[in-house]
Structure formats: C-alpha cells, structure tokens
Amino acid sequence: MLSKLRFSTFLAGLFVLLPLHGHAQTPGDPNYIIIDNDFAGPGGTNIQSVIPLLGQPDKATVLGFTVVVGDGWENEAAAHLSRFLEIAGSPETLPVVPGATQPLVNSRARLLAWEKSNGKMPWKGAWRGDAPDFQPPVKPLKEGMPDRKLSSETAALFLIRQVHAHPHQITLLAAGPLTNIALAIKLDPEFASLCRRLVFMGAIVDGNLSQVTQSADYYTDFNFMFDPEAASITLEAPFPEVVSVGGVANAIRMTAEIRDQATRTAGPVADYLRQYFHPQPMWDELAAAISVDPVLVTDKVVAYMDVDLTHGPNYGYAHVWPESTRPHIGERPVTIVTAVDKARFLKTFVKAANRMNTHG
C-alpha cells in the first residue's frame, strides 16, 4: 500500500496540480459541478438530470460527466449520455468519463441469493430479467449510436484530478450508485476534503411503510442497495458537506403538462423529450437542480448516517441517529432534504430545457 508521501508523489507525477490546500469558500468563487450517474436511457430521470446543469450556464459550470453501472450497464449508459449530448449540441470538450462496470462487492449472483431469504428487490437495474453477470457489448440504441468519443481517463482518476485542480470549488453530484465516488476516496485520502460538497440521490430513510402504501419500487433505495459498501465508504468520508435528496423527490412526478411546458421552444432537445417521455418521479433532476441552487431546499434535517452492511432485509439501507445515540463507528452528519420549493424547481427545469434548444 502506498504511504501518504509516496501517494502524493504519485499524484504529482500523474497530474498537474494546483496547491492541495485551498481557501475557504466565498460567494464569488466559481460553482463547478461534476455529475456522476448511471445514465440509463433514452430519456427518463437519469438523462434529464443533465438539463438543470447545462441549461443554467449562468449559475454553474459543468466540468464533466462520470458514468457508473446501476440502472443500466456502464457502457450502455455512457452511450445514451453521449448521444443525448450530441443531440443537445454539447461540445466534445465536455468529457464523458467511463467508470465502474461492477459494484465493489455486490454482484448479480449475490443479489439473487439475497432475494431467496429477504424478498424481491423490485428494480434490479442492469441485473434485471435474464441479464448476464457481467457487462455485455452495447446493443444499437433507439435514439441512434453516438459518434462522440469517450474520455480515455477513468472516472475515479478524473474526479481526483479535478478536485485537486479546483480545491473546495466542486459540488459533486452523485445520482446513481456511489462506486466511482468510493474508488476515488480510497485512491486519494484528500479527495473528499477537497470537494466543496457532495449532493447525492439516495438514503430514503423511514420508507418501509411507503413500500406497502405507495410504491415498492419508488421507496426501495436502489442507489444504495446496488452497491452498499460504496455507499458506506462515501458516508464515512470527510466531505465538508453532504446533502441527501431521497424520498422528498418521489412526490414530484414528470407529467405530460411539465413535458409540454419544457418543450415549448422547438429544437432537438424538445423533440427528444417528447419522444422519450417517462412519467416517473423527477429524482435526478431535483438533485441536479439543488446542486446548482441550494435555495430550492425549504426544510431539512441534519442526522448522523451510515449504511447497514449486514446481509439481512436491511442490507444497503441507510440508518440515521441523533448525536445522543450514534454508535461512533464512522458515521457522519448528513443534511437530509425534507421539503423543496416545488414550483421554483419546476420553473427552473422548464426554463433550462427550453434554453437548451435556444443555445445548444
């Protein structure tokens, strides 16, 4: 294992770095964002998470996209994202960086074995149906295959390089399983502390009854359950701030009315949104919008959080404690979003989608 000194020497030789210890965040600092997601598609919440980011260039600068396995295979997700970026006219200088193709420990075989004792996981993402155990070649996409080339870098190293280049200025948005984030944490002990904040889609705490009364799928914490070990590693890392956008997003659904408002301005993005419309919760879109504009949050709770790694029915579920009862095993305080300004969020999303047709 590399010592801290040898690891710093390794990084210095691999990257061109700015000073490792940045300054305190000030209002005038840039709002840089990197989104790490399982960009399954076409359409839907994963791809549409791009809209609040690229559709608000006056509020945030996107440094790149890192891709992880989850709702779909990593290579297929990278292809769906690349094709959407082509349709949206996004320049190739904005990189799409391939990442983890498997969770750290979990596997399709392990999940199927877990189900025999603990009940069905309603959505298995890349492992659904008769999927193979490992990533297959990409099949032709409905929206067409992309010509856009992927970055030659890997996600974890890209993330490390960027936070060293922009210390304390990057909001890391994790909208899928946290595998790439955990790998970056384990590769570089300074990675988490050099981020500005982590915003993630997940940690649906106290959603068990809602699995019965509302939706077993929507209240199953897929992003955590797909790679529980990565979620635990991430939640124990020293990010200056961690924000969880979980069950609060379930009540905000993509509707035909929202689609029609978001496609008023004619163009390729409008055509795409109409063709690949999915009436589902706006999970990743909301997390993206909060990453750009935290004022959207109208209520929140701060609690200590970690992930259950025992192989029972709660494997992969988040657990929270107050200060008075927490176990002191590495858990950290997390800001859990409990309410948002829905009207402002939808107005932001609609405006950003129409702007992408105007500006490309």
Side-chain angles (χ1 to χ4, degrees):
M1 190 163 100
L2 289 175
S3 68
K4 186 172 181 181
L5 177 60
R6 289 177 60 204
F7 187 79
S8 297
T9 303
F10 162 74
L11 283 179
L14 187 61
F15 308 130
V16 177
L17 302 178
L18 294 181
L20 296 183
H21 302 287
H23 52 75
Q25 191 69 35
T26 62
D29 282 341
N31 186 18
Y32 293 127
I33 293 179
I34 298 173
I35 176 171
D36 183 88
N37 204 353
D38 50 348
F39 293 97
T45 188
N46 297 304
I47 295 295
Q48 288 168 188
S49 65
V50 175
I51 290 172
L53 304 178
L54 296 187
Q56 301 186 84
D58 53 325
K59 292 185 178 180
T61 300
V62 179
L63 297 178
F65 307 88
T66 53
V67 187
V68 67
V69 64
D71 279 335
W73 295 108
E74 183 275 337
N75 57 352
E76 186 179 64
H80 282 301
L81 172 62
S82 296
R83 181 61 185 139
F84 176 73
L85 293 175
E86 285 180 344
I87 290 168
S90 175
E92 287 203 26
T93 52
L94 192 58
V96 173
V97 189
T101 64
Q102 290 284 317
L104 298 182
V105 175
N106 203 12
S107 66
R108 184 172 182 271
R110 286 173 179 266
L111 174 58
L112 295 178
W114 177 88
E115 285 187 315
K116 291 178 181 178
S117 300
N118 299 289
K120 182 180 178 182
M121 186 170 171
W123 171 249
K124 298 181 184 64
W127 294 332
R128 62 192 179 274
D130 59 352
D133 290 342
F134 299 99
Q135 178 166 281
V138 178
K139 295 179 180 179
L141 306 182
K142 294 179 181 178
E143 66 273 36
M145 296 297 288
D147 294 320
R148 185 187 181 105
K149 295 187 183 304
L150 299 178
S151 169
S152 60
E153 215 165 356
T154 57
L157 292 181
F158 173 81
L159 292 169
I160 292 169
R161 180 169 63 85
Q162 290 296 334
V163 300
H164 279 277
H166 308 286
H168 312 292
Q169 294 180 333
I170 293 176
T171 294
L172 178 54
L173 167 60
L178 293 158
T179 316
N180 289 334
I181 313 304
L183 288 170
I185 290 166
K186 289 300 187 182
L187 282 170
D188 180 5
E190 294 185 293
F191 168 74
S193 63
L194 285 174
C195 291
R196 180 179 183 181
R197 69 171 65 90
L198 170 69
V199 177
F200 71 88
M201 179 62 230
I204 302 176
V205 294
D206 297 330
N208 195 187
L209 184 60
S210 295
Q211 292 178 358
V212 177
T213 59
Q214 297 190 45
S215 170
D217 184 7
Y218 291 174
Y219 283 90
T220 296
D221 210 344
F222 173 80
N223 286 346
F224 274 25
M225 291 184 72
F226 194 81
D227 194 342
E229 287 73 21
S232 181
I233 289 168
T234 301
L235 285 180
E236 294 178 4
F239 291 98
E241 180 184 8
V242 177
V243 178
S244 164
V245 185
V248 68
N250 279 332
I252 305 176
R253 308 290 173 92
M254 185 69 177
T255 64
E257 180 182 2
I258 296 170
R259 175 204 59 197
D260 292 345
Q261 292 177 12
T263 57
R264 286 194 304 257
T265 302
V269 172
D271 294 341
Y272 181 95
L273 292 178
R274 281 193 292 266
Q275 185 171 358
Y276 301 113
F277 168 68
H278 290 289
Q280 61 184 171
M282 300 179 75
W283 295 296
D284 297 356
E285 300 97 323
L286 180 61
I290 289 172
S291 298
V292 175
D293 185 13
V295 175
L296 288 170
V297 177
T298 58
D299 205 1
K300 59 192 177 184
V301 172
V302 177
Y304 286 86
M305 181 185 292
D306 209 337
V307 181
D308 193 336
L309 297 183
T310 58
H311 288 269
N314 294 317
Y315 178 52
Y317 278 82
H319 190 84
V320 291
W321 299 267
E323 170 64 44
S324 60
T325 64
R326 68 186 183 98
H328 296 275
I329 55 173
E331 72 282 350
R332 59 152 298 140
V334 173
T335 299
I336 302 167
V337 178
T338 56
V340 297
D341 187 335
K342 179 180 177 181
R344 177 171 174 156
F345 161 63
L346 293 177
K347 182 178 179 181
T348 294
F349 179 81
V350 165
K351 183 177 179 181
N354 283 292
R355 185 171 185 172
M356 286 184 70
N357 276 313
T358 302
H359 297 279

